[in-house]
Amino acid sequence: MSLALRRWQRAPGSLTARLKALGECFEVLTLRQRVAPLLAEEKRVLGPGRYLVREVILKVDGEALVWARSVAPARSLAGPWRALAGLGTRPLGQLLFDDARVARSPLRPHRLGRGGPGHRRIARDWLQATGAPWPAGVAHGRSSVFERRGARLRVFEAFAPGLACRGAAKLTSNPGWK
């Protein structure tokens, strides 16, 4: 994995804000948002129950750079995470980082090898949404859990290699941007 992708894995704060800083046009392509079964890692972190799952691709200047999946308890849609229900194509990052009552766990890096269920899901969605195969044999990403009034929300983000190129260019042109 490149140094630039490692920086993205560890970058604190809002991924949305960092992506917006990379170009002129930031957009969220919503792939699906529905109550759905959890993946094994999500069950381990969040426990049993019914969950709202939202999967998106984040683009900068038309280039797909991130595949993301957020998971929140369905019951919290009538409470702390009610804004999720109507999020649509708005970025989740604004909801999470504009609210001082939201706490975030430490970032956890991930490496999803080709052929595993997570990598297959990302590759399938990427191909359907962009018309191109997932551009790497391994999906590098990160996850964290946000909490608001006792309700937890897990976010996983997988970084396409193009993000490293854009991020490296940004770091070169602005050394203060980390």
Side-chain angles (χ1 to χ4, degrees):
M1 173 177 36
S2 71
L3 176 60
L5 277 182
R6 272 197 294 274
R7 284 185 175 144
W8 281 97
Q9 278 186 318
R10 291 187 237 137
S14 169
L15 177 65
T16 297
R18 286 180 177 279
L19 290 172
K20 285 181 175 181
L22 291 180
E24 299 295 318
C25 179
F26 171 82
E27 64 182 296
V28 176
L29 172 63
T30 304
L31 303 173
R32 64 191 61 83
Q33 181 169 319
R34 64 176 189 250
V35 174
L38 294 184
L39 303 175
E41 172 74 7
E42 294 164 342
K43 283 182 191 174
R44 187 185 67 70
V45 172
L46 298 172
R50 290 177 34 88
Y51 287 85
L52 177 74
V53 175
R54 180 175 189 244
E55 294 172 334
V56 301
I57 289 180
L58 307 178
K59 296 180 171 186
V60 175
D61 298 335
E63 181 183 3
L65 297 173
V66 176
W67 179 92
R69 177 177 165 106
S70 55
V71 179
R75 69 182 180 284
S76 69
L77 298 179
W81 298 118
R82 78 176 134 270
L84 284 175
L87 206 53
T89 59
R90 288 178 293 141
L92 177 60
Q94 284 181 304
L95 175 70
L96 298 174
F97 290 96
D98 290 350
D99 187 341
R101 297 170 292 183
V102 175
R104 183 186 204 178
S105 73
L107 293 167
R108 183 170 174 240
H110 292 271
R111 180 185 186 279
L112 305 177
R114 184 185 305 261
H119 191 281
R120 284 194 309 266
R121 171 182 237 90
I122 293 166
R124 182 193 66 228
D125 284 351
W126 198 266
L127 181 61
Q128 288 175 347
T130 68
W134 176 254
V138 172
H140 292 283
R142 68 185 192 175
S143 67
S144 58
V145 177
F146 295 84
E147 190 168 330
R148 183 169 189 255
R149 293 190 355 230
R152 301 174 84 201
L153 178 146
R154 181 181 187 262
V155 175
F156 173 83
E157 301 147 338
F159 305 132
L163 183 61
C165 298
R166 279 186 172 261
K170 184 71 172 184
L171 282 168
T172 302
S173 66
N174 182 1
W177 192 83
K178 295 183 182 174

